[in-house]
């Protein structure tokens, strides 16, 4: 019986987490370790400057007063260190995690933490549109998890899944697209007349590049993007090589 760790960044009380856990329960021994409150856009933050509390709130159900990364770290290196889970699943996030947004995503970072600790992982996020419903997302997630338990064996690669508004037109394997926040920061006055700021208040502009996650989701397809943590831009290595020669002396003299 495979052990499946379920986590998220929307917190233990989110419907997406409950639906995902319920959907994968027939596939293995499900254990839930999730943040005690919403941690969206927590990225890959690890809490290092204060103690963390881990609390069992039900059978195979724990909360952590920290980030999604803290949850996966405590689950894999402490709670289940004697028998690591076979798969980490994160989500289902309320809102998409596509294109450039993947670096902010706590949902995806939880999956990457599994990857770093040698456990294959899948992140699930849902576009919240007119017909938004976690139920079909969870039903498809279970199908993919069943397949992943057999085939998704390389922990260096995570799968980033984004659901469109149901019903789904099909599945597309994609690359990351681009998005821009045109009006990035909103400035307002608080009741005492002091300025405050709200980041990302306006909807972003999505670029539907061919073969991208954004195009797939906008066309009604479930998008699956394989991601890895090697952020090296390999084509630049050759073109930057001449710097070794030009600035070598400067480095030695510094
Ligand atoms: Mn979230």
């Amino acid at each position: 019986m495979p052990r499946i760790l379920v986590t998220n960044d929307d917190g233990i009380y989110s419907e997406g987490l409950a639906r995902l856990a319920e959907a994968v329960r027939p596939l293995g021994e499900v254990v839930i370790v999730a943040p005690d409150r919403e941690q969206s856009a927590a990225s890959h933050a690890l809490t290092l400057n204060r103690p963390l509390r881990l609390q069992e709130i039900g059978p195979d159900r724990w909360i952590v007063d920290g980030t999604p990364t803290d949850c996966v770290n405590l689950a894999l290196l402490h709670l289940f260190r004697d028998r690591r889970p076979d798969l980490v699943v994160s989500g289902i996030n309320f809102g998409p995690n596509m294109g450039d947004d993947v670096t902010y995503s706590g949902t995806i970072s939880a999956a990457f933490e599994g990857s770093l600790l040698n456990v294959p992982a899948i992140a699930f996020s849902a576009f919240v549109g007119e017909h938004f419903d976690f139920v079909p997302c969870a039903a498809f997630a279970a199908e993919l998890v069943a397949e992943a338990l057999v085939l998704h064996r390389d922990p260096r690669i995570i799968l980033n899944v984004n659901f469109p508004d149901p019903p789904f037109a099909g599945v597309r394997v994609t690359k990351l697209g681009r998005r821009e926040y045109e009006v990035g920061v909103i400035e307002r006055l608080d009741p005492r007349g002091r300025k405050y700021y709200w980041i990302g208040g306006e909807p972003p502009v999505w670029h539907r590049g061919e073969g991208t996650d954004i195009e797939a989701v906008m066309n009604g397809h479930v998008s699956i993007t394989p991601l890895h943590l090697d952020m090296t831009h390999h084509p630049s290595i050759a073109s930057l090589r001449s710097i070794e020669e030009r600035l070598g002396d400067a480095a030695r003299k510094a």
Side-chain angles (χ1 to χ4, degrees):
M1 191 86 157
R3 180 176 270 175
I4 303 167
L5 172 63
V6 182
T7 190
N8 75 347
D9 78 356
D10 291 340
I12 189 75
Y13 300 113
S14 93
E15 190 197 338
L17 178 89
R19 295 286 185 195
L20 180 59
E22 179 186 292
V24 300
R25 209 171 290 284
L27 304 172
E29 179 202 351
V30 171
V31 292
I32 299 171
V33 184
D36 65 353
R37 69 199 72 182
E38 189 180 348
Q39 292 283 338
S40 292
S43 196
H44 205 160
L46 196 57
T47 302
L48 299 176
N49 54 5
R50 64 170 177 85
L52 285 168
R53 307 291 175 182
L54 179 64
Q55 194 187 341
E56 189 168 6
I57 58 163
D60 299 321
R61 212 173 145 78
W62 284 265
I63 51 171
V64 176
D65 61 344
T67 66
T69 301
D70 293 331
C71 292
V72 175
N73 203 275
L74 285 180
L76 300 185
L77 296 181
H78 177 72
L79 273 177
F80 308 110
R81 62 185 178 277
D82 295 335
R83 207 195 114 213
R84 289 253 178 114
D86 301 278
L87 188 72
V88 172
V89 293
S90 179
I92 301 166
N93 190 61
F94 184 80
N97 278 304
M98 304 188 289
D100 302 314
D101 279 336
V102 301
T103 59
Y104 299 106
S105 169
T107 307
I108 293 173
S109 294
F112 271 132
E113 191 64 6
S115 166
L116 285 171
L117 297 172
N118 272 318
V119 180
I122 310 176
F124 295 99
S125 307
F127 184 84
V128 181
E130 215 180 321
H131 309 285
F132 166 70
D133 183 359
F134 276 124
V135 174
C137 302
F140 178 82
E143 297 290 332
L144 182 64
V145 166
E147 188 130 323
L149 285 167
V150 181
L151 299 174
H152 179 40
R153 283 279 174 236
D154 187 346
R156 291 167 302 177
I157 300 154
I158 71 154
L159 301 180
N160 183 39
V161 179
N162 279 281
F163 295 104
D165 228 17
F168 309 141
V171 181
R172 290 284 180 269
V173 175
T174 58
K175 60 182 180 182
L176 294 177
R178 305 265 357 254
R179 71 96 185 81
E180 279 168 48
Y181 289 104
E182 299 269 305
V183 185
V185 174
I186 291 167
E187 186 184 277
R188 296 257 197 283
L189 290 181
D190 74 15
R192 296 198 172 89
R194 288 174 42 176
K195 285 177 189 166
Y196 69 89
Y197 299 91
W198 206 265
I199 289 172
E202 297 286 313
V205 175
W206 301 99
H207 297 280
R208 299 188 188 203
E210 205 185 321
T212 64
D213 48 0
I214 294 162
E215 180 197 54
V217 166
M218 294 306 166
N219 290 336
H221 290 92
V222 178
S223 164
I224 303 177
T225 312
L227 300 177
H228 65 149
L229 266 176
D230 177 3
M231 292 172 84
T232 313
H233 186 248
H234 292 274
S236 292
I237 290 180
S239 60
L240 285 170
R241 192 71 78 186
S242 65
I243 288 181
E244 295 178 359
E245 190 88 356
R246 279 187 287 114
L247 296 183
D249 273 348
R252 283 183 284 274
K253 279 185 213 143

